Amino acid sequence: MYLEPVYPHVTDTQDTFVFDDDCGFCTWWADSFDEHTDLRIVGFSDLTPELRDRLPENYEACSHLVTDDRVYSCGASIEEAFVRSDVAGPLRDVVPFLRNFEDYERLRERWYRSIADERDRWGQFVSKTPPASGDGDEADDSTSS
């Protein structure tokens, strides 16, 4: 399972989506969550020490969604951010049911890893200028329809 324990010294209580802000594809996803959720969005380069302490040791291997009582990592982080979005619709009710099945969890994580491992290729279709790239604040809306 990809959940981490609570660290009681953390004072920031807003649920936070943490992502690789040196990746255009990842930035596109983070911007989408920023537009469709009330999550705070934080890139790896902007982690506070308190937030960094909440993440797994190899946190740069995937995205995370940090709440008061747990850390969702990899596929679970994307899933949790999606069900909190205003575009989840009826899937919001289906996901808790699916989470009861180990096969679903394995499939979700396999799906996440297969996309994350090919993010340079996916970034050719949907991408935004990563904040950590140093290219300024202007988004490179390289999205295809």
Side-chain angles (χ1 to χ4, degrees), residues 6-25:
V6 173
Y7 293 88
H9 67 278
V10 175
T11 57
D12 188 0
T13 59
Q14 184 177 4
D15 294 351
T16 303
F17 183 78
V18 178
F19 76 105
D20 180 356
D21 58 349
D22 196 28
C23 163
F25 179 69

Side-chain angles (χ1 to χ4, degrees), residues 85-100:
S85 76
D86 58 14
V87 296
L91 290 176
R92 184 176 291 115
D93 299 326
V94 173
V95 169
F97 172 74
L98 291 174
R99 287 178 177 165
N100 291 307

Side-chain angles (χ1 to χ4, degrees), residues 68-144:
D68 284 345
D69 58 352
R70 59 177 43 162
V71 175
Y72 299 88
S73 294
C74 305
S77 72
I78 300 296
E79 174 193 77
E80 186 66 20
F82 176 74
V83 298
R84 293 166 177 242
S85 76
D86 58 14
V87 296
L91 290 176
R92 184 176 291 115
D93 299 326
V94 173
V95 169
F97 172 74
L98 291 174
R99 287 178 177 165
N100 291 307
F101 302 97
E102 288 181 26
D103 287 340
Y104 168 72
E105 184 177 323
R106 279 193 296 273
L107 180 63
R108 179 193 65 211
E109 296 308 317
R110 188 177 315 145
W111 168 81
Y112 176 89
R113 185 52 40 211
S114 68
I115 290 174
D117 288 347
E118 295 289 331
R119 59 192 179 168
D120 287 341
R121 185 169 54 127
W122 288 108
Q124 295 174 11
F125 302 102
V126 290
S127 184
K128 287 204 171 185
T129 301
S133 72
D135 290 341
D137 292 332
E138 297 207 14
D140 171 25
D141 248 343
S142 306
T143 54
S144 304

